[in-house]
Amino acid sequence: MTRVRRLADWDRDRLLDLAAEHGTPLYVQDLGRVRENYRRIERAFPDASVMYAAKAHTGRAVLSTLLDAGADIECAAAGELQRAIEAGADPNTLQYTAVNPPANDLDYAADLGAEHPGLTITAGALDTFDRLAERGYDGRVAIRVNPGIGTGHHEKVATGADAKFGIPADRVADVAADVADRFDLVGIHAHVGSGVLHDDLDDHCRAVGVVADLAREAATAADTSLEFLDIGGGFGVPYREEADPLDMMTVGERVREAVGDLDVTLKVEPGRYVVTDAGLILTTVNTRKETEAATVVGVDASLATLIRPAMFDAYHPIRNVTAPDRKPEPVSVGGPCCTSADVFCTDRPLARPEREDVLAIGMAGAYGYELANQFHSQPRPAEVVLDGEQTRVARQRETLADVTRLEN
C-alpha cells in the first residue's frame, strides 16, 4: 500500500472512459483508496478512537464506506449530522463540534442529544455552553481549548492559534469547573491546524502536549475524570510531487509521547488525510491561446468547481490524461470565470495540451466538492465513485434549471 497516490498512479484508460461517459468537469472518488488511508490511520493509532472529520468530504458514498470500515463521524454543522445519520451512523456515536453555531444548528444538536444521549457536543466558547443550557441540554459535552500554537499548510487553517477557535488556555480550568456543574463533561478537544507534514510535526506535537496538560488542569478543576482527549486531525497529504508523505507510524508514536501518561481514550479526527488522494477532477480543454506573456489553456472546470487555488493559493497537480507523453511546455490553465483568480496553474510544464484533451486535476478529494459553488450560475459537476471494478454516479450533475430551482 503506497502512502500517497500520485496522478500517474490512476488508470489512464479508465479516466478517459469516465470522461467520455459522464462528461466534464467530473469529480472522481475512489472508495478503495479511502479505505486504505483509513486503515493506515488505524494502524498508527491502534488504541485510539478514529473519527472521520466529515467536512472534508460529506458525500454519502464516502461516509457509508467509512462507517462500514468502523470509523465514527465528527461533524461541524447540523447538515453534517444529518448527512452522517442518513449514511447510517448511530446518532449516539456522533460528535458535534460547534463553532459559533447558528441557532438552528444548536436547536438540531440539542434535540438530537435529548433523543440520543450518546451524542457529544463540543464547544469552544462559554457563550455556546450558555446557549445549550438555555435549550435544556445537560448531556455529554467536551471543551474545545486553544493551545496558542497553530500549524498547517496555510495561515487560514492554522486554527490552534486563532482566537476564533477554543477557550484560551488561561481560562480552561475556570470554564471546566463551570461546565461540569451544568453538563456531563467527558472530554477536551483541540485542533491545531490542517495539512501537517513532517516539517510541522514538532510544532504539532508541542501543541498536543499543551492540550494534554490543559486536560489535566480541567479534570482537576472540575473534580472529574475525563473520558477522552480529542486532538483533532490535521495530518497532511503532499500535494506537490516532490514532497514526501507522512510516515503515520512515526506520527502515532510522536503523538503518544506528547500525550504522556494521561489516563484517557485518545481520539483523532482525520479528514483530509483519508480522502485527498482518493479524488480528482477531470476537465476538458476548450481553448488554447498563445500570447507573448503566456500560453493560456482554457478548460471547462473553474474556481466554482475547485476553489482551493483561488482561496488558499493551493497547489494541485495536473496531468494531460489524453496525451501524457507529448513534449512538456509551460502553460497557464484557467477556467471560464470572469476573474483572474480562476487559474489552476501558471507557467507550469505540462504535456502539450490541445483542444478536446482531458486533463486531470489531482488531490481533489478533500474540500473540493465541499467548496464547489454556482458562481457565474454554473451548475455543480457530477461525481462518480469507483469501488474496485464498479463505477456509479454518487451525485448527479446539476442542470441550468437546478441553478434557479429555489428562486421565486
PDB file of all heavy atoms in Angstrom, residues 20-39:
ATOM      1  N   ALA A  20     -15.619  10.334 -21.072  1.00  0.00           N
ATOM      2  CA  ALA A  20     -16.462  10.143 -22.252  1.00  0.00           C
ATOM      3  C   ALA A  20     -17.894   9.797 -21.863  1.00  0.00           C
ATOM      4  O   ALA A  20     -18.853  10.266 -22.488  1.00  0.00           O
ATOM      5  CB  ALA A  20     -15.866   9.042 -23.134  1.00  0.00           C
ATOM      6  N   GLU A  21     -18.067   9.000 -20.816  1.00  0.00           N
ATOM      7  CA  GLU A  21     -19.408   8.550 -20.431  1.00  0.00           C
ATOM      8  C   GLU A  21     -20.180   9.599 -19.650  1.00  0.00           C
ATOM      9  O   GLU A  21     -21.388   9.779 -19.855  1.00  0.00           O
ATOM     10  CB  GLU A  21     -19.309   7.274 -19.603  1.00  0.00           C
ATOM     11  CG  GLU A  21     -20.659   6.733 -19.162  1.00  0.00           C
ATOM     12  CD  GLU A  21     -20.558   5.429 -18.383  1.00  0.00           C
ATOM     13  OE1 GLU A  21     -19.431   4.903 -18.244  1.00  0.00           O
ATOM     14  OE2 GLU A  21     -21.623   4.946 -17.918  1.00  0.00           O
ATOM     15  N   HIS A  22     -19.495  10.318 -18.747  1.00  0.00           N
ATOM     16  CA  HIS A  22     -20.197  11.202 -17.813  1.00  0.00           C
ATOM     17  C   HIS A  22     -19.990  12.685 -18.095  1.00  0.00           C
ATOM     18  O   HIS A  22     -20.646  13.522 -17.474  1.00  0.00           O
ATOM     19  CB  HIS A  22     -19.755  10.900 -16.383  1.00  0.00           C
ATOM     20  CG  HIS A  22     -20.027   9.491 -15.952  1.00  0.00           C
ATOM     21  ND1 HIS A  22     -21.280   9.050 -15.597  1.00  0.00           N
ATOM     22  CD2 HIS A  22     -19.199   8.415 -15.848  1.00  0.00           C
ATOM     23  CE1 HIS A  22     -21.222   7.769 -15.275  1.00  0.00           C
ATOM     24  NE2 HIS A  22     -19.973   7.359 -15.406  1.00  0.00           N
ATOM     25  N   GLY A  23     -19.113  13.017 -19.024  1.00  0.00           N
ATOM     26  CA  GLY A  23     -18.858  14.418 -19.322  1.00  0.00           C
ATOM     27  C   GLY A  23     -17.938  15.053 -18.292  1.00  0.00           C
ATOM     28  O   GLY A  23     -17.577  14.442 -17.279  1.00  0.00           O
ATOM     29  N   THR A  24     -17.552  16.278 -18.578  1.00  0.00           N
ATOM     30  CA  THR A  24     -16.673  17.020 -17.668  1.00  0.00           C
ATOM     31  C   THR A  24     -17.251  18.415 -17.458  1.00  0.00           C
ATOM     32  O   THR A  24     -18.064  18.869 -18.254  1.00  0.00           O
ATOM     33  CB  THR A  24     -15.248  17.126 -18.256  1.00  0.00           C
ATOM     34  OG1 THR A  24     -15.302  17.811 -19.513  1.00  0.00           O
ATOM     35  CG2 THR A  24     -14.616  15.760 -18.436  1.00  0.00           C
ATOM     36  N   PRO A  25     -16.852  19.123 -16.388  1.00  0.00           N
ATOM     37  CA  PRO A  25     -15.968  18.662 -15.325  1.00  0.00           C
ATOM     38  C   PRO A  25     -16.622  17.557 -14.502  1.00  0.00           C
ATOM     39  O   PRO A  25     -17.839  17.533 -14.327  1.00  0.00           O
ATOM     40  CB  PRO A  25     -15.717  19.923 -14.496  1.00  0.00           C
ATOM     41  CG  PRO A  25     -16.888  20.807 -14.781  1.00  0.00           C
ATOM     42  CD  PRO A  25     -17.286  20.523 -16.188  1.00  0.00           C
ATOM     43  N   LEU A  26     -15.787  16.665 -13.993  1.00  0.00           N
ATOM     44  CA  LEU A  26     -16.290  15.486 -13.293  1.00  0.00           C
ATOM     45  C   LEU A  26     -15.388  15.186 -12.099  1.00  0.00           C
ATOM     46  O   LEU A  26     -14.171  15.080 -12.234  1.00  0.00           O
ATOM     47  CB  LEU A  26     -16.288  14.275 -14.237  1.00  0.00           C
ATOM     48  CG  LEU A  26     -16.756  12.943 -13.658  1.00  0.00           C
ATOM     49  CD1 LEU A  26     -18.256  12.967 -13.395  1.00  0.00           C
ATOM     50  CD2 LEU A  26     -16.394  11.791 -14.604  1.00  0.00           C
ATOM     51  N   TYR A  27     -15.998  15.059 -10.923  1.00  0.00           N
ATOM     52  CA  TYR A  27     -15.278  14.586  -9.754  1.00  0.00           C
ATOM     53  C   TYR A  27     -15.258  13.065  -9.761  1.00  0.00           C
ATOM     54  O   TYR A  27     -16.267  12.418 -10.061  1.00  0.00           O
ATOM     55  CB  TYR A  27     -15.936  15.074  -8.463  1.00  0.00           C
ATOM     56  CG  TYR A  27     -15.426  16.401  -7.968  1.00  0.00           C
ATOM     57  CD1 TYR A  27     -16.017  17.594  -8.369  1.00  0.00           C
ATOM     58  CD2 TYR A  27     -14.331  16.463  -7.105  1.00  0.00           C
ATOM     59  CE1 TYR A  27     -15.538  18.820  -7.913  1.00  0.00           C
ATOM     60  CE2 TYR A  27     -13.847  17.678  -6.646  1.00  0.00           C
ATOM     61  CZ  TYR A  27     -14.449  18.851  -7.046  1.00  0.00           C
ATOM     62  OH  TYR A  27     -13.968  20.054  -6.601  1.00  0.00           O
ATOM     63  N   VAL A  28     -14.107  12.494  -9.417  1.00  0.00           N
ATOM     64  CA  VAL A  28     -13.956  11.046  -9.308  1.00  0.00           C
ATOM     65  C   VAL A  28     -13.394  10.733  -7.926  1.00  0.00           C
ATOM     66  O   VAL A  28     -12.387  11.322  -7.516  1.00  0.00           O
ATOM     67  CB  VAL A  28     -13.006  10.492 -10.391  1.00  0.00           C
ATOM     68  CG1 VAL A  28     -12.883   8.969 -10.269  1.00  0.00           C
ATOM     69  CG2 VAL A  28     -13.481  10.892 -11.786  1.00  0.00           C
ATOM     70  N   GLN A  29     -14.046   9.833  -7.200  1.00  0.00           N
ATOM     71  CA  GLN A  29     -13.593   9.462  -5.855  1.00  0.00           C
ATOM     72  C   GLN A  29     -13.456   7.949  -5.779  1.00  0.00           C
ATOM     73  O   GLN A  29     -14.392   7.210  -6.128  1.00  0.00           O
ATOM     74  CB  GLN A  29     -14.599   9.951  -4.804  1.00  0.00           C
ATOM     75  CG  GLN A  29     -14.051  10.012  -3.390  1.00  0.00           C
ATOM     76  CD  GLN A  29     -13.175  11.231  -3.139  1.00  0.00           C
ATOM     77  OE1 GLN A  29     -13.147  12.158  -3.936  1.00  0.00           O
ATOM     78  NE2 GLN A  29     -12.468  11.240  -2.024  1.00  0.00           N
ATOM     79  N   ASP A  30     -12.296   7.475  -5.356  1.00  0.00           N
ATOM     80  CA  ASP A  30     -12.003   6.049  -5.291  1.00  0.00           C
ATOM     81  C   ASP A  30     -12.210   5.561  -3.855  1.00  0.00           C
ATOM     82  O   ASP A  30     -11.411   5.861  -2.960  1.00  0.00           O
ATOM     83  CB  ASP A  30     -10.566   5.800  -5.742  1.00  0.00           C
ATOM     84  CG  ASP A  30     -10.236   4.318  -5.861  1.00  0.00           C
ATOM     85  OD1 ASP A  30     -10.933   3.498  -5.232  1.00  0.00           O
ATOM     86  OD2 ASP A  30      -9.270   3.971  -6.568  1.00  0.00           O
ATOM     87  N   LEU A  31     -13.269   4.791  -3.638  1.00  0.00           N
ATOM     88  CA  LEU A  31     -13.605   4.330  -2.292  1.00  0.00           C
ATOM     89  C   LEU A  31     -12.587   3.325  -1.764  1.00  0.00           C
ATOM     90  O   LEU A  31     -12.359   3.243  -0.546  1.00  0.00           O
ATOM     91  CB  LEU A  31     -15.001   3.723  -2.285  1.00  0.00           C
ATOM     92  CG  LEU A  31     -16.141   4.659  -2.702  1.00  0.00           C
ATOM     93  CD1 LEU A  31     -17.489   3.937  -2.629  1.00  0.00           C
ATOM     94  CD2 LEU A  31     -16.171   5.911  -1.832  1.00  0.00           C
ATOM     95  N   GLY A  32     -11.962   2.568  -2.644  1.00  0.00           N
ATOM     96  CA  GLY A  32     -10.923   1.641  -2.207  1.00  0.00           C
ATOM     97  C   GLY A  32      -9.753   2.381  -1.583  1.00  0.00           C
ATOM     98  O   GLY A  32      -9.200   1.955  -0.559  1.00  0.00           O
ATOM     99  N   ARG A  33      -9.387   3.509  -2.172  1.00  0.00           N
ATOM    100  CA  ARG A  33      -8.295   4.308  -1.618  1.00  0.00           C
ATOM    101  C   ARG A  33      -8.706   4.948  -0.296  1.00  0.00           C
ATOM    102  O   ARG A  33      -7.887   5.068   0.622  1.00  0.00           O
ATOM    103  CB  ARG A  33      -7.877   5.388  -2.623  1.00  0.00           C
ATOM    104  CG  ARG A  33      -6.691   6.222  -2.169  1.00  0.00           C
ATOM    105  CD  ARG A  33      -5.445   5.380  -1.997  1.00  0.00           C
ATOM    106  NE  ARG A  33      -4.332   6.165  -1.469  1.00  0.00           N
ATOM    107  CZ  ARG A  33      -3.145   5.671  -1.157  1.00  0.00           C
ATOM    108  NH1 ARG A  33      -2.900   4.378  -1.333  1.00  0.00           N
ATOM    109  NH2 ARG A  33      -2.191   6.450  -0.685  1.00  0.00           N
ATOM    110  N   VAL A  34      -9.969   5.338  -0.174  1.00  0.00           N
ATOM    111  CA  VAL A  34     -10.469   5.873   1.096  1.00  0.00           C
ATOM    112  C   VAL A  34     -10.271   4.844   2.204  1.00  0.00           C
ATOM    113  O   VAL A  34      -9.788   5.163   3.299  1.00  0.00           O
ATOM    114  CB  VAL A  34     -11.958   6.260   0.973  1.00  0.00           C
ATOM    115  CG1 VAL A  34     -12.559   6.576   2.341  1.00  0.00           C
ATOM    116  CG2 VAL A  34     -12.122   7.459   0.040  1.00  0.00           C
ATOM    117  N   ARG A  35     -10.609   3.588   1.927  1.00  0.00           N
ATOM    118  CA  ARG A  35     -10.434   2.523   2.926  1.00  0.00           C
ATOM    119  C   ARG A  35      -8.959   2.344   3.277  1.00  0.00           C
ATOM    120  O   ARG A  35      -8.609   2.173   4.462  1.00  0.00           O
ATOM    121  CB  ARG A  35     -10.999   1.206   2.396  1.00  0.00           C
ATOM    122  CG  ARG A  35     -12.495   1.163   2.230  1.00  0.00           C
ATOM    123  CD  ARG A  35     -12.954  -0.256   1.896  1.00  0.00           C
ATOM    124  NE  ARG A  35     -14.340  -0.251   1.454  1.00  0.00           N
ATOM    125  CZ  ARG A  35     -14.718  -0.190   0.176  1.00  0.00           C
ATOM    126  NH1 ARG A  35     -13.805  -0.143  -0.790  1.00  0.00           N
ATOM    127  NH2 ARG A  35     -16.001  -0.178  -0.142  1.00  0.00           N
ATOM    128  N   GLU A  36      -8.088   2.335   2.277  1.00  0.00           N
ATOM    129  CA  GLU A  36      -6.659   2.161   2.530  1.00  0.00           C
ATOM    130  C   GLU A  36      -6.128   3.249   3.462  1.00  0.00           C
ATOM    131  O   GLU A  36      -5.370   2.973   4.410  1.00  0.00           O
ATOM    132  CB  GLU A  36      -5.885   2.204   1.210  1.00  0.00           C
ATOM    133  CG  GLU A  36      -6.058   0.994   0.324  1.00  0.00           C
ATOM    134  CD  GLU A  36      -5.258   1.134  -0.956  1.00  0.00           C
ATOM    135  OE1 GLU A  36      -4.348   1.991  -1.001  1.00  0.00           O
ATOM    136  OE2 GLU A  36      -5.533   0.393  -1.908  1.00  0.00           O
ATOM    137  N   ASN A  37      -6.490   4.480   3.192  1.00  0.00           N
ATOM    138  CA  ASN A  37      -5.996   5.589   4.007  1.00  0.00           C
ATOM    139  C   ASN A  37      -6.515   5.495   5.433  1.00  0.00           C
ATOM    140  O   ASN A  37      -5.782   5.778   6.394  1.00  0.00           O
ATOM    141  CB  ASN A  37      -6.399   6.921   3.375  1.00  0.00           C
ATOM    142  CG  ASN A  37      -5.685   7.182   2.058  1.00  0.00           C
ATOM    143  OD1 ASN A  37      -4.628   6.628   1.798  1.00  0.00           O
ATOM    144  ND2 ASN A  37      -6.270   8.034   1.227  1.00  0.00           N
ATOM    145  N   TYR A  38      -7.775   5.103   5.590  1.00  0.00           N
ATOM    146  CA  TYR A  38      -8.332   4.946   6.927  1.00  0.00           C
ATOM    147  C   TYR A  38      -7.606   3.842   7.691  1.00  0.00           C
ATOM    148  O   TYR A  38      -7.278   4.001   8.877  1.00  0.00           O
ATOM    149  CB  TYR A  38      -9.833   4.651   6.847  1.00  0.00           C
ATOM    150  CG  TYR A  38     -10.433   4.278   8.177  1.00  0.00           C
ATOM    151  CD1 TYR A  38     -10.627   5.234   9.170  1.00  0.00           C
ATOM    152  CD2 TYR A  38     -10.773   2.953   8.464  1.00  0.00           C
ATOM    153  CE1 TYR A  38     -11.159   4.887  10.411  1.00  0.00           C
ATOM    154  CE2 TYR A  38     -11.305   2.599   9.691  1.00  0.00           C
ATOM    155  CZ  TYR A  38     -11.488   3.565  10.658  1.00  0.00           C
ATOM    156  OH  TYR A  38     -12.001   3.218  11.872  1.00  0.00           O
ATOM    157  N   ARG A  39      -7.328   2.736   7.044  1.00  0.00           N
ATOM    158  CA  ARG A  39      -6.646   1.626   7.708  1.00  0.00           C
ATOM    159  C   ARG A  39      -5.248   2.037   8.160  1.00  0.00           C
ATOM    160  O   ARG A  39      -4.765   1.588   9.207  1.00  0.00           O
ATOM    161  CB  ARG A  39      -6.552   0.412   6.778  1.00  0.00           C
ATOM    162  CG  ARG A  39      -7.889  -0.218   6.416  1.00  0.00           C
ATOM    163  CD  ARG A  39      -8.623  -0.699   7.651  1.00  0.00           C
ATOM    164  NE  ARG A  39      -9.898  -1.343   7.301  1.00  0.00           N
ATOM    165  CZ  ARG A  39     -10.910  -1.461   8.125  1.00  0.00           C
ATOM    166  NH1 ARG A  39     -10.829  -0.966   9.351  1.00  0.00           N
ATOM    167  NH2 ARG A  39     -12.025  -2.041   7.755  1.00  0.00           N
TER     168      ARG A  39
END
